[in-house]
Amino acid sequence: MELTAKSRNSLVAMYLSVGGLIILAMMIFGILMLMAQGGMLDLSPAAFYQFLTIHGTGMVGAAAFAAAGVMWYFLSKEVKLSKKIFKLNAVLFLVGVVMVIIGVFSFEYASAWTFLYPLPAISANAWGITGALLYLFGMLILGIGFLLLYIDTGRAIIKKQGSLAKGLGWDVISGKKEEKDAPTPTIVASTMVTIVNITALTAGAIVLIMNIINVINPAFTFDPLLAKNLTFAFGHIFANSIIYMAVIAVYEILSKYTKRPWKANKPFLIAWNMSTVFTLLIYTHHMLMDSVMPTWMLIMGQVLSYANGLPVLIITAYGALMIVYKSGIKWDMASGLIYISMFGWVVGVVPAIIDATIVVNQVMHNTKWVPGHFHLYMALGACAMLFGFMYYLAKEDSAIRTNAFDKFGLFGYTIAILALGGSFLVSGALSTPRRWATHFPDWMAPANFGAVAGALAAIALTIYIIHFVRYMMMRNKQDKDVEKISA
Ligand code: HEM
Ligand SMILES: [Cu+2]
């Protein structure tokens, strides 16, 4: 099967539209949760936890799916990827999503997306075996799809570069090869994601299967500490990988718009290598309360968490400023969203660094401060990159134009997410615990404020999606016109 630009674009557009639509649907559940916490909406605690489960699972899954589409789009221009596997991943993703939805809404499964052992099996009858199995199997199927995808990207990178180490530029760092022959930023980022996500998904598959056996036969038990380690090795790394896939759009789009190459030099390669190692190791910051963990692991988790994303963030933010400086860049929706995403990434990391400080963590731990950090970083950082790419692809591939609504969407989204993230941070500062269905009256105001901000974000995303769907319809029509002419 030859990969033509046309078939690449249709497949990638399918990934982005599915991802975008699921993110929009999940925003609605987010708004409903905030309204319930704020006392505006009467929602049973059971329903709240089902919403929390679908929101966490759906957001991370859909953003990862769309980000994989971005990575595949650019990587497939440099190495030979399998179209079949890209399609297979989409099919497995959809099957998994349907199973998870049925498990949560028809069978009341509500363990949150962390499915922490032994909760799937022991729920005090909040849900039964069927719900747990649908959810766990759905996640497993979805994970296998992603695993196959990364095995394919790994294979293709090794074929082109010789090894994954060379994909990360080890031969350039060690001086064996000149900087000008370094792998492209797209290859470097894809190699990093391939390495960390194959690790994450393998850990995830193991712990999912162990949970499945435990649900079917409760006599089979295993070490809860091991289960927690595997679960967060999966969850932390996989969620982190979203921004490392999406950032490829920053490199490619800014370099195209400024007509300046974004070269991988030595500092760039070293930064990506550091973040590869840190991303693999620091899930241990989820274990800081588990005093039975080996102390050295907890210290490592603590220390490296400070440094986790910083190397890549700094090298990318600095690079973005340098490439745009005096370049005469034309600002449009794509470059605007990409630039906002750099801002969102930086703003989202600051509260995380504050929280990683032990004295602060003792107060902020498990408060809404934590969702405050990751909503900024995910919604304004990673997701803005995805949406920027959607506008880029539409512009590249059709004659579609943006209008005043789109501009409103850009400003509206930025303000909405800053307000939403801010409301979570304020809640955290008030010591509001995270993951609580019901709030004391003192805690309600920020939740209600967040719900309004969330609604504005959902409106903005609806505008982006309408634009993208119009593009997809336009290119279908173009294809038909071409057929007519050639017939
Ligand atoms: C309109 C936008 C959004 C709204 C209103 C919203 C709302 C919420 C709320 C209310 C919670 C529960 C907070 C608590 O612990 O009490 C939550 C959790 C979460 N959200 Fe969002 N969210 C939005 C966008 C996003 C996006 C874009 C992502 C990721 C791409 C995301 C990922 C998550 C995750 C992973 C959790 C944690 C779930 C858990 O604790 O198990 N959210 N969100
Ligand atoms: Cu983490």
Side-chain angles (χ1 to χ4, degrees), residues 232 236 240 282-283 285-286:
F232 280 101
H236 171 88
N240 257 240
I282 62 155
Y283 79 87
H285 61 210
H286 296 274

Side-chain angles (χ1 to χ4, degrees), residues 190-267:
S190 304
T191 307
M192 182 272 195
V193 172
T194 299
I195 293 170
V196 300
N197 265 354
I198 287 181
T199 314
L201 290 160
T202 308
I206 293 170
V207 71
L208 280 164
I209 292 170
M210 298 205 302
N211 268 301
I212 288 170
I213 301 176
N214 173 253
V215 168
I216 297 172
N217 175 12
F220 169 88
T221 58
F222 55 100
D223 182 9
L225 192 63
L226 172 66
K228 189 172 175 188
N229 273 276
L230 288 170
T231 303
F232 280 101
F234 162 62
H236 171 88
I237 296 175
F238 190 70
N240 257 240
S241 77
I242 295 170
I243 210 161
Y244 296 115
M245 290 188 271
V247 76
I248 296 173
V250 176
Y251 299 142
E252 295 275 0
I253 294 175
L254 287 186
S255 110
K256 186 138 191 183
Y257 272 44
T258 57
K259 300 195 182 69
R260 293 172 170 176
W262 194 316
K263 284 292 226 177
N265 52 16
K266 263 191 198 179

